[in-house]
Amino acid sequence: MKKAVIIRTEENEKQTLGRLFIFDGLDVVFECCTLELPYVNNTRNISSIPTGRYEVQPRNSAKYGDHFLVKNVNFRDYILIHEANFYTDLRGCIGIGENFYDINQDEEIDITSSRKTKRKLIAAAPEGFELFIIEIK
């Protein structure tokens, strides 16, 4: 199973920014930007999930199509990795995109090309991965 890490590097009262790396052995086979809500005691719908180790598996739904499900999050379920450009698109999930950019000029950093990035992540790790979330903020 491939290994992945999200490194959270910036957080404010509205959002958390970071980078996701997928490894195949020692090689980085995928990299993207991440967008999450800030950490608020792991509270459903308003918080990112705690740092730690998680299993991530592929999933499909009518709303998001193909995406990923983060398993074994304490006191939480249906934490997804899916497309999202703005922190307002999230309810505790992890949004992924190609670059950081203030798309809507609200002085908050957004992420771009989210659907395209999700397709690339699925191609890089179609069977899922083991995810480690760390902070260096």
Side-chain angles (χ1 to χ4, degrees), residues 9-59:
T9 58
E10 301 288 331
E11 181 177 87
N12 63 32
E13 67 281 348
K14 294 182 181 176
Q15 63 188 21
T16 301
L17 304 174
R19 298 232 179 228
L20 167 68
F21 301 89
I22 302 284
F23 293 88
D24 189 357
L26 296 175
D27 297 322
V28 174
V29 295
F30 176 82
E31 175 184 348
C32 72
C33 301
T34 60
L35 176 64
E36 301 175 79
L37 295 176
Y39 187 74
V40 185
N41 299 317
N42 197 31
T43 305
R44 181 182 297 271
N45 294 323
I46 63 168
S47 177
S48 60
I49 63 174
T51 58
R53 178 184 168 271
Y54 302 96
E55 177 188 343
V56 177
Q57 67 184 38
R59 182 174 184 269

Side-chain angles (χ1 to χ4, degrees), residues 65-109:
D66 291 328
H67 59 281
F68 289 97
L69 174 67
V70 181
K71 303 285 289 181
N72 305 319
V73 178
N74 287 335
F75 310 110
R76 305 271 297 274
D77 54 9
Y78 293 102
I79 303 300
L80 309 177
I81 299 175
H82 63 76
E83 64 269 9
N85 295 107
F86 311 102
Y87 74 89
T88 55
D89 295 334
L90 300 169
R91 299 288 174 262
C93 295
I94 301 167
I96 54 173
E98 190 171 68
N99 293 299
F100 294 115
Y101 183 76
D102 186 2
I103 297 169
N104 57 356
Q105 303 300 304
D106 66 351
E107 298 182 9
E108 296 294 340
I109 300 297

